[in-house]
Amino acid sequence: MSQNWPRTLWIVRHGQSAGNVARDAAEAQGLAMIDIAERDIDVPLSELGREQSAALGHWFGELPPSRQPEVVLTSPYVRARETARLLMETAGLDPRKVRVRVDERLREKEFGILDRFTVHGIRERYPELSAQRGHVGKFYFRPPGGESWCDVILRLRSVLEMVTREHCGQRVLVVAHQVIVNCMRYLVECLEEHEVLAMDRQGDVPNCSVTSYEHDPLTDSLRLDLAWFVAPLREAGAPVTAEPDAQAAPKP
């Protein structure tokens, strides 16, 4: 049977960002807006996020060379690119031998006019949108100027098609964002709306956690191996954080 998938696929959420920290501070103070000066794309890792990225890099570096990433795909957002860079440096992955690709389709979900608002701020400033989202659900709800999960899934379908076409049989590492992790799982595991939302309600995807798949040659499909795996952080003594991204609206 011919192989149509990568040998291994890792999907990693970026390390804790300065936006995560700012969001927590705003929520704790009951503020309507998150105090972030940069564009969302430019928000860097926090000091803890850099520590988490290095800890995960040590784990990848301890894998046998025959098991390490051959291709790294990263979101263009600074926090994801920093995570990928620190991970590769700590793992000892040679960028001259590992193909690194920045792909805008892996960017964070776009929040439109709800960008930078806290949960409290959304309910206060846009009560009709908050009610609509509660009725429709996050899978289909699209804030004005933003994206629904379905919109994100649409762009990720072409990412997976590219991966199967150009990186078949290779070991591929994706570094991106919380919604990307969940939506990639929706696609790879052929989930339905209620299944991916039930998974999402279990909690936020931990920063620098690993979700991975191994190729099953008998079925030519990807088999889930690890889900939200954070042991590398604990082993390195790096605190585990599981925070929604800065502009994330409340869970249904």
Side-chain angles (χ1 to χ4, degrees):
M1 180 180 293
S2 61
Q3 182 170 336
N4 296 305
W5 290 97
R7 182 180 306 173
T8 303
L9 176 64
W10 297 276
I11 309 171
V12 169
R13 185 188 176 195
H14 61 76
Q16 184 196 59
S17 73
N20 297 144
V21 176
R23 177 194 176 279
D24 286 348
E27 292 282 11
Q29 297 174 54
L31 301 178
M33 295 289 291
I34 300 166
D35 185 15
I36 306 174
E38 303 94 342
R39 298 182 306 164
D40 191 27
I41 189 173
D42 298 322
V43 173
L45 292 176
S46 66
E47 186 59 40
L48 175 54
R50 290 189 284 273
E51 180 184 350
Q52 293 169 333
S53 301
L56 185 55
H58 281 297
W59 181 76
F60 274 104
E62 291 173 354
L63 295 176
S66 61
R67 297 287 309 280
Q68 293 179 343
E70 299 172 281
V71 178
V72 175
L73 307 177
T74 179
S75 158
Y77 282 43
V78 168
R79 54 189 179 271
R81 297 178 75 155
E82 285 186 342
T83 299
R85 177 182 59 80
L86 290 168
L87 184 158
M88 291 184 63
E89 288 178 357
T90 311
L93 298 177
D94 189 342
R96 295 170 298 180
K97 299 179 180 178
V98 176
R99 184 176 185 185
V100 180
R101 305 180 66 168
V102 178
D103 195 317
E104 79 288 343
R105 295 171 296 181
L106 295 172
R107 68 188 183 276
E108 175 60 287
K109 175 183 177 288
E110 297 177 356
F111 295 92
I113 65 171
L114 302 184
D115 185 35
R116 301 188 184 218
F117 279 91
T118 63
V119 173
H120 170 70
I122 293 171
R123 290 172 177 164
E124 182 181 75
R125 180 72 176 274
Y126 299 107
E128 71 286 355
L129 290 180
S130 180
Q132 181 188 17
R133 183 184 180 282
H135 174 68
V136 174
K138 68 162 58 177
F139 193 77
Y140 290 104
F141 174 71
R142 178 191 294 140
E147 294 180 300
S148 67
W149 277 34
C150 289
D151 296 320
V152 175
I153 288 166
L154 181 60
R155 53 178 156 96
L156 291 180
R157 288 188 185 279
S158 64
V159 173
L160 276 181
E161 190 277 332
M162 180 269 290
V163 167
T164 61
R165 183 182 68 249
E166 300 186 21
H167 304 300
C168 174
Q170 293 183 298
R171 298 180 297 275
V172 179
L173 167 63
V174 174
V175 182
H177 309 270
Q178 172 166 258
V179 174
I180 299 298
V181 175
N182 286 331
C183 290
M184 287 284 279
R185 291 195 64 179
Y186 170 85
L187 289 172
V188 175
E189 298 174 38
C190 299
L191 302 178
E192 296 186 27
E193 176 193 2
H194 70 278
E195 293 173 311
V196 71
L197 291 183
M199 181 181 68
D200 178 65
R201 282 192 291 271
Q202 295 174 12
D204 295 303
V205 177
N207 295 106
C208 275
S209 63
V210 179
T211 296
S212 66
Y213 300 87
E214 296 291 334
H215 179 253
D216 183 348
L218 294 180
T219 60
D220 189 29
S221 62
L222 291 179
R223 172 183 52 81
L224 181 65
D225 184 43
L226 301 171
W228 298 1
F229 180 63
V230 294
L233 305 188
R234 294 196 174 104
E235 291 171 1
V240 176
T241 53
E243 303 157 331
D245 287 319
Q247 290 76 32
K251 292 182 180 297

